[in-house]
């Protein structure tokens, strides 16, 4: 909330908000805070059209924020990764070393052949709102319904 306020003090152009947005309610909240648009990322991994492994898609549905590990190991830049994918790569998510950002290679983590985004699955903290796999059209329709319902709920207060 504070970020949007501060940006709006000096910028009146298009502003997109991202981060844990996966529902129509969250899109409306982003707009209410002053953003023009909301950016949804991880939730679209669980769509039929996404170019991701089926296991990755299902993991977005099956796991939530408690299953996310924040680490710099895999790319040199801190990011969120699904704990089960780290474990499947043979690494201990509770004992990941820090990476040197000057050595960014977007390749493997440590001595593992696992690669970020291929074997080590990234995701955002909004995945807890993703409850099933489906088409992009179905997901967008759900977002639309949620947005309209949220707007009606707010207008009735």
């Amino acid at each position: 909330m504070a970020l949007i306020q501060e940006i709006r003090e000096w910028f009146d152009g298009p502003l997109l908000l991202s981060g844990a947005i996966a529902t129509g309610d969250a899109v409306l909240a982003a707009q209410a805070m002053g953003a023009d648009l909301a950016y949804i990322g991880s939730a679209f991994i669980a769509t039929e059209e996404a170019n991701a492994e089926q296991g990755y898609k299902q993991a977005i549905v099956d796991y939530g924020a408690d299953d996310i590990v924040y680490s710099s190991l895999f790319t040199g830049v801190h990011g969120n990764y699904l704990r089960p994918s780290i474990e499947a790569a043979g690494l201990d998510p509770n004992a990941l070393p820090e990476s040197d950002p000057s050595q960014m290679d977007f390749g493997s983590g440590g001595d593992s052949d696992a690669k970020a985004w291929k074997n080590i699955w990234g995701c955002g903290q909004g995945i807890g709102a993703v409850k099933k796999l489906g088409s992009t059209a179905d997901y967008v329709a759900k977002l639309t319904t949620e947005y309209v319902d949220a707007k009606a709920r707010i207008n009735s207060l």
Side-chain angles (χ1 to χ4, degrees):
M1 290 184 182
L3 176 63
I4 290 177
Q5 289 173 244
E6 290 193 24
I7 291 171
R8 283 299 184 208
E9 287 180 14
W10 57 270
F11 182 72
D12 63 358
L15 179 60
L16 285 75
L17 181 65
S18 69
I21 298 174
T23 66
D25 297 71
V27 172
L28 182 62
Q31 289 178 312
M33 291 187 328
D36 297 297
L37 302 163
Y39 179 88
I40 300 171
S42 298
F44 280 103
I45 295 169
T47 61
E48 295 165 2
E49 296 85 355
N51 187 16
E53 291 182 29
Q54 194 62 32
Y56 188 5
K57 294 178 183 193
Q58 191 62 51
I60 296 294
V61 173
D62 291 344
Y63 300 110
D66 287 347
D67 300 300
I68 294 173
V69 175
Y70 186 64
S71 176
S72 67
L73 176 63
F74 306 107
T75 65
V77 176
H78 276 94
N80 292 327
Y81 301 93
L82 281 170
R83 175 179 302 278
S85 69
I86 296 169
E87 293 168 342
L91 300 170
D92 179 355
N94 298 316
L96 297 175
E98 287 291 314
S99 179
D100 178 358
S102 69
Q103 302 298 316
M104 287 176 33
D105 70 2
F106 297 95
S108 64
D111 294 329
S112 171
D113 289 331
K115 295 188 182 211
W117 304 302
K118 179 174 176 157
N119 311 98
I120 307 293
W121 298 331
C123 69
Q125 294 189 7
I127 62 169
V130 181
K131 302 300 183 193
K132 67 179 184 175
L133 299 172
S135 71
T136 299
D138 289 344
Y139 181 58
V140 170
K142 177 181 175 287
L143 285 170
T144 302
T145 299
E146 291 170 346
Y147 179 89
V148 169
D149 290 349
K151 200 167 189 180
R153 191 171 57 250
I154 297 300
N155 288 336
S156 70
L157 295 178

